[in-house]
Amino acid sequence: MMQVLDTESAAMPAPVSPPVSSARPQMTADLMARTGLDEAMLERLVHGFYDRVRADALLGPVFAERIDDWGPHLERMVEFWSSVALMTGRYHGAPMPKHLPLPVAAEHFVRWLELFRLTAGEVCPPAGADWVIERAERIATSIHMNIETARDRDGRAAPPTPSEPERLS
């Protein structure tokens, strides 16, 4: 005698995402629905991106000189991207002062964006990748401009501009 499995009643329930801690829960829910992003995906994005950064010949040394314990840095970056991408308000900090003294030039930002775009394209759905990439481009442009302005104000020579487009994207 053959037994038939009732697939409708045996279907696995859809996985339930853990609740997201957000200062703006409705805005966060709307962004998650529109982009397909969630906290777990942002964590994979951040970890995958920084794995690439650490292995990169240009960016790796900049980070290696400054970060000994990657755990807290990655947690902070997940909070940052949660705030940036999902408007959760989880990140509380001032990133600019940490970036101003870094020995970076335009080519560092160009490479940072290349690695970020690559990782976002692999980890996120298309709408989510577009969303975080747009924000990453704005952030990179802003930080780069602030570093250049600070160098000019401090009387140090700004590094030469590469033959990249004026916008770092």
Side-chain angles (χ1 to χ4, degrees):
M1 179 181 226
M2 183 188 242
Q3 188 174 4
V4 177
L5 179 63
D6 179 0
T7 57
E8 288 186 10
S9 63
M12 298 293 292
V16 178
S17 297
V20 176
S21 173
S22 177
R24 302 170 199 86
Q26 187 57 52
M27 184 180 294
T28 298
D30 292 345
L31 283 168
M32 290 172 72
R34 192 169 75 235
T35 63
L37 298 171
D38 61 23
E39 294 284 343
M41 191 176 302
L42 292 173
E43 185 169 341
R44 287 191 307 275
L45 171 65
V46 166
H47 285 253
F49 168 68
Y50 280 103
D51 285 347
R52 284 189 163 115
V53 164
R54 285 187 277 188
D56 188 73
L58 179 63
L59 298 176
V62 175
F63 284 86
E65 290 177 18
R66 287 154 185 83
I67 300 174
D68 295 322
D69 185 0
W70 276 89
H73 180 71
L74 292 172
E75 286 176 31
R76 191 128 172 99
M77 293 300 93
V78 170
E79 291 171 355
F80 176 81
W81 281 102
S82 174
S83 290
V84 168
L86 299 176
M87 304 295 289
T88 61
R90 289 181 51 207
Y91 176 80
H92 302 284
M96 199 58 65
K98 297 223 181 246
H99 289 86
L100 288 177
L102 295 178
V104 293
E107 60 266 14
H108 292 88
F109 290 95
V110 169
R111 184 64 178 147
W112 188 91
L113 285 169
E114 288 171 353
L115 296 178
F116 192 88
R117 287 183 191 110
L118 179 64
T119 310
E122 291 175 356
V123 172
C124 305
D130 290 346
W131 183 255
V132 294
I133 289 168
E134 179 186 1
R135 271 126 199 89
E137 290 171 349
R138 289 180 186 178
I139 291 164
T141 299
S142 175
I143 291 173
H144 181 243
M145 287 174 39
N146 278 291
I147 288 172
E148 292 301 309
T149 300
R151 285 182 181 155
D152 291 344
R153 184 178 55 241
D154 293 342
R156 292 181 284 163
T161 304
S163 60
E164 296 291 329
E166 286 184 29
R167 183 176 150 94
L168 292 173
S169 58

